[in-house]
Amino acid sequence: QVQLEESGGELVQAGGSLRLSCASSGRPVDGYAMAWLRQAPGKEREFVAAIDWTGSRTLYGDSAKGRFAISRDNAKNTVYLQMSSLKPEDTAVYFCAASLRMIVSADRYAYDYWGQGTQVTVSS
């Protein structure tokens, strides 16, 4: 069983940077593609980024391109989301998710596992 736990979310000023982490406390996730999703108040859940199991391929949603970077360290059983040039519209709960095959979806239930999320708040 894969158990995912996000961390790193906090209040940050617009234009600042933040790094989110997602660690598995269960079985290793080295064989899984990983993704970040987010859901802002009053908005639909949104796909942010994905990375394949080797870390060789990454894919980003439109809102993340040029500002966010997904990476992983399989030795640490952890995936990261480095965020820069943060905007108030980036305020959301950020979730990580794992899938056996790399997919692009905003639906957490499309994935095999997902975490409970970490709150990111960007002030103006």
Side-chain angles (χ1 to χ4, degrees):
Q1 179 73 20
V2 173
Q3 299 179 68
L4 303 176
E5 184 174 2
E6 303 92 338
S7 63
E10 61 181 60
L11 175 65
V12 62
Q13 291 283 149
S17 298
L18 199 61
R19 188 180 76 163
L20 306 183
S21 299
C22 174
S24 173
S25 60
R27 60 160 291 180
V29 293
D30 56 293
Y32 289 82
M34 302 294 294
W36 286 96
L37 316 175
R38 71 183 185 184
Q39 187 160 23
K43 294 184 178 180
E44 297 291 326
R45 192 157 45 252
E46 179 184 13
F47 171 81
V48 177
I51 188 167
D52 74 345
W53 74 275
T54 67
S56 299
R57 183 185 178 189
T58 59
L59 188 63
Y60 296 93
D62 289 341
S63 297
K65 292 178 181 177
R67 299 189 299 123
F68 295 0
I70 187 171
S71 62
R72 68 190 300 164
D73 186 340
N74 288 340
K76 295 181 178 180
N77 212 27
T78 302
V79 63
Y80 305 96
L81 184 68
Q82 179 66 49
M83 304 184 292
S84 61
S85 301
L86 285 164
K87 306 173 182 179
E89 50 263 45
D90 294 318
T91 295
V93 177
Y94 285 71
F95 304 89
C96 69
S99 58
L100 191 59
R101 296 179 175 85
M102 189 176 182
I103 58 173
V104 177
S105 177
D107 184 0
R108 288 188 298 161
Y109 290 95
Y111 298 85
D112 297 296
Y113 305 98
W114 61 89
Q116 295 303 303
T118 185
Q119 176 71 49
V120 172
T121 302
V122 183
S123 62
S124 60

